[in-house]
Amino acid sequence: MQKAKMVIDKEFKISEIDERVYGSFIEHMGRAVYGGIYEPEHKEADEQGFRKDVLELVKGLNVPIVRYPGGNMVSAYNWEDGVGPIDNRPRTLDLAWRTVETNQVGTNEFADWANKAGTDVMMAINLGTRGIDEARQFIEYCNHPGGSRWSDLRREHGYEEPHKIKTWCLGNEMDGPWQIGQKTAEEYGRLAKETAKAMRAVDPEIELVSCGSSGSGMPTFPEWEAVTLDHTYDEADYVSLHQYFGNQDNDSQNYLASTLELDRFINTVTSIADYIKAKKRSNKTLMLSFDEWNVWYHSTEQDKENAPWGTAPPILEDVYNFEDALLVGGILITFLKNADRVKMACMAQLVNVIAPIMTDNMGAAWKQTIYYPYMHASLFGRGVSLQPILSSPKMDTKDFTDVPYLDSAVVHNPENEEATIFIVNRHLSEDLRLDINVSSFEGYQLVEHIALEHEDLKAVNTSEKQEVQPYKNKETSLNMGSIEAKVNHASWNVIRLKKM
Ligand code: AHR
């Protein structure tokens, strides 16, 4: 069996981790809201119609922030349609997904749901069909205490206290030809800057995300970032990144190496932001909000069967397999290794639509395979991100050379004196003997080694059967400052230490 070595040290700090890297996303599309978080006829529905079984699964992920209400949908969304007496709300056409939106859930209900789920809202505004005026009115409605037209309307709607939404996205994927109201970089940059000024005038406490490219494969990337940030740099706090992954060629070894591409994407956007910083002689460092990421490719064929203008049709319902869980683990490791710049990230999405949680209408709710690495990172990955020194055998794949079998991120939580080592072995057939030097963690003991493995890369979880579930690897030991572990091929590993 080949060997790998690692050294971790409390002093090898990358950065404090912003817990919002474990964020998620709920868009008004498919069965994310209707039939997902909200189903008033369901036996688990609470007094507002929210499914309590789904809320429990969301709480299990300890999600700190949820982006809302879109996504593509937001670019032709009128927020006014979703507030006020529910019975008076219009049925509207959602042009992005060509479905009918009933508006039974809107801003206030979603804020209530977020409270119940113990999470914050990251609100996106419509910069497709609308602009400065609606954005300033909407933020006045949400965040102003009262005594003005829009804040008093909120109070009339039964919400005396402002929602105090801190994080706002200035539109969504405005470079995409599929976007209603697509903009050139110049058009978007100007509009986003002026909108940001107006929003901040209403509430100076907010944080704003300038819209980046909808993916590194866009023909306008990275010029879009350079041009738009030239306009928005002084007003924005973050630039957004979006990226979806898929194993369309059924080349699993290459698929699992694609986090190298993700790392490159993050570094490129960081460099552009820093170039604009230098150009403007600014003292501010712009941070990254990776506010849409996930695997998305399983559902593409199935979606073609959906007729337009249905209500809550089952779209983008990817059923995730075991190899997708490994990739998701690798993506989370990549964010942690870039914790000095990636401050927010949203798994897209949370329920039913490309999601870790699935439901049946009027039926069960269950965990997809990708739920587990997301849960482990969110529960145990809070504190300071450390730079591991790792020596691992390497391989070449179709698109990548010198890919280490092992990828790892390490998190130290000095407050509760815990440390967690996340490791993915992306080699499909080779197990490794791993030696980890942890001598700087004096007095720390091994709590557990959790692993996710399955002999079938394509194994999935369903409402009937949880095929893919974590187990405890009892063979791992810690002696004299050194951890000895066997890291099996195609595995996700969470090794936890605590000072006793
Ligand atoms: O998450 C699904 C869609 O992917 C979002 O609506 C859009 O922003 C992205 O293209």
Side-chain angles (χ1 to χ4, degrees):
M1 194 185 306
Q2 291 204 70
K3 288 188 176 155
K5 268 188 177 174
M6 198 159 134
V7 179
I8 66 171
D9 192 299
K10 276 191 241 165
E11 303 307 320
F12 297 172
K13 293 178 187 163
I14 299 174
S15 165
E16 281 281 338
I17 296 161
D18 189 322
E19 63 169 19
R20 294 174 300 172
V21 291
Y22 306 119
S24 191
F25 176 31
I26 293 268
E27 178 165 0
H28 276 255
M29 66 169 292
R31 297 190 310 121
V33 175
Y34 308 110
I37 63 168
Y38 174 86
E39 200 173 17
E41 303 80 25
H42 196 280
K43 64 177 180 348
E44 290 282 344
D46 69 6
E47 67 297 342
Q48 280 187 291
F50 292 123
R51 279 182 65 160
K52 287 183 280 185
D53 53 345
V54 175
L55 268 169
E56 282 315 303
L57 290 176
V58 172
K59 283 186 198 160
L61 291 169
N62 198 8
V63 185
I65 195 162
V66 179
R67 187 165 175 254
Y68 176 85
N72 296 337
M73 168 270 190
V74 82
S75 293
Y77 177 60
N78 294 344
W79 65 269
E80 301 88 334
D81 294 339
V83 296
I86 288 178
D87 292 344
N88 296 348
R89 294 187 193 170
R91 289 167 66 86
T92 50
L93 296 187
D94 168 5
L95 303 185
W97 303 105
R98 305 192 76 221
T99 53
V100 169
E101 170 60 52
T102 64
N103 287 301
Q104 297 301 289
V105 173
T107 302
N108 294 319
E109 293 80 22
F110 190 74
D112 287 340
W113 179 84
N115 273 333
K116 290 175 185 182
T119 190
D120 286 338
V121 178
M122 175 196 279
M123 187 66 84
I125 56 157
N126 174 355
L127 285 188
T129 59
R130 311 188 92 183
I132 304 171
D133 224 25
E134 293 81 3
R136 76 177 174 92
Q137 291 163 5
F138 187 31
I139 195 166
E140 182 184 319
Y141 181 91
C142 291
N143 283 10
H144 196 68
S148 67
R149 175 176 170 191
W150 298 101
S151 59
D152 285 345
L153 184 64
R154 181 198 69 240
R155 292 164 73 204
E156 249 173 61
H157 291 162
Y159 292 80
E160 183 61 32
E161 294 303 318
H163 296 309
K164 294 190 183 149
I165 295 168
K166 184 178 163 199
T167 314
W168 295 76
C169 301
L170 295 162
N172 175 70
E173 296 190 348
M174 298 310 303
D175 60 331
W178 56 86
Q179 207 67 224
I180 304 291
Q182 181 197 7
K183 309 263 181 294
T184 65
E186 283 290 345
E187 286 166 348
Y188 172 75
R190 286 283 305 130
L191 178 61
K193 179 192 168 90
E194 292 307 316
T195 306
K197 272 164 53 185
M199 291 174 75
R200 206 163 255 128
V202 178
D203 183 352
E205 303 293 308
I206 56 172
E207 291 193 333
L208 291 164
V209 184
S210 184
C211 193
S213 296
S214 4
S216 58
M218 292 299 287
T220 45
F221 175 77
E223 186 63 11
W224 173 274
E225 277 70 7
V227 175
T228 58
L229 288 180
D230 212 4
H231 289 287
T232 60
Y233 197 89
D234 293 336
E235 306 299 333
D237 304 284
Y238 306 87
V239 57
S240 73
L241 294 83
H242 290 184
Q243 194 77 43
Y244 292 97
F245 298 84
N247 188 6
Q248 286 87 349
D249 302 335
N250 199 18
D251 178 346
S252 301
Q253 200 61 93
N254 195 50
Y255 176 56
L256 294 180
S258 54
T259 49
L260 271 73
E261 177 57 40
L262 173 66
D263 198 52
R264 203 179 304 152
F265 183 25
I266 291 170
N267 288 327
T268 306
V269 176
T270 302
S271 309
I272 299 164
D274 290 349
Y275 158 69
I276 301 292
K277 174 182 179 177
K279 191 174 163 190
K280 291 188 176 293
R281 275 62 173 159
S282 172
N283 290 325
K284 180 172 85 179
T285 301
L286 201 77
M287 296 298 168
L288 275 47
S289 170
F290 215 116
D291 47 44
E292 280 191 37
W293 67 270
N294 205 348
V295 173
W296 171 12
Y297 81 104
H298 296 286
S299 59
T300 322
E301 283 307 306
Q302 164 209 333
D303 286 343
K304 290 185 185 146
E305 288 163 24
N306 278 306
W309 313 124
T311 301
I315 50 178
L316 275 64
E317 298 206 353
D318 277 47
V319 175
Y320 292 115
N321 58 34
F322 170 60
E323 67 182 11
D324 299 327
L326 294 179
L327 186 78
V328 162
I331 292 171
L332 289 159
I333 284 176
T334 308
F335 291 154
L336 289 173
K337 290 198 299 188
N338 288 285
D340 53 335
R341 296 306 285 265
V342 179
K343 296 295 176 185
M344 297 193 280
C346 301
M347 177 187 261
Q349 299 188 10
L350 188 54
V351 184
N352 287 332
V353 173
I354 42 174
I357 299 168
M358 291 297 284
T359 69
D360 280 332
N361 287 343
M362 303 301 283
W366 67 97
K367 299 171 184 170
Q368 294 234 55
T369 60
I370 61 170
Y371 185 96
Y372 293 106
Y374 181 21
M375 175 184 81
H376 293 146
S378 178
L379 295 187
F380 307 127
R382 298 184 187 220
V384 179
S385 176
L386 302 180
Q387 180 69 62
I389 298 179
L390 175 60
S391 147
S392 153
K394 291 180 177 163
M395 62 184 153
D396 290 343
T397 70
K398 182 165 83 47
D399 297 324
F400 305 95
T401 46
D402 286 337
V403 182
Y405 295 7
L406 299 190
D407 198 5
S408 176
V410 180
V411 176
H412 180 217
N413 191 325
E415 256 165 55
N416 51 17
E417 299 187 302
E418 284 181 8
T420 305
I421 306 162
F422 300 102
I423 306 166
V424 65
N425 181 353
R426 47 193 160 196
H427 199 285
L428 296 182
S429 54
E430 284 209 41
D431 301 341
L432 290 176
R433 191 53 63 211
L434 174 64
D435 176 282
I436 313 173
N437 180 331
V438 293
S439 50
S440 95
F441 289 88
E442 229 176 283
Y444 280 63
Q445 307 282 313
L446 181 67
V447 177
E448 58 184 350
H449 174 177
I450 307 167
L452 196 66
E453 296 171 12
H454 202 285
E455 68 277 4
D456 179 5
L457 289 172
K458 308 296 180 189
V460 300
N461 289 348
T462 64
S463 59
E464 279 93 41
K465 196 151 185 237
Q466 288 276 298
E467 266 289 324
V468 180
Q469 285 201 57
Y471 79 99
K472 292 211 178 154
N473 180 339
K474 297 267 171 59
E475 284 165 37
T476 302
S477 63
L478 166 57
N479 288 309
M480 317 266 291
S482 174
I483 295 176
E484 298 285 331
K486 183 166 161 260
V487 181
N488 291 328
H489 64 279
S491 66
W492 161 253
N493 303 270
V494 183
I495 299 177
R496 298 183 55 223
L497 311 177
K498 185 167 176 62
K499 192 163 186 173
M500 302 290 183

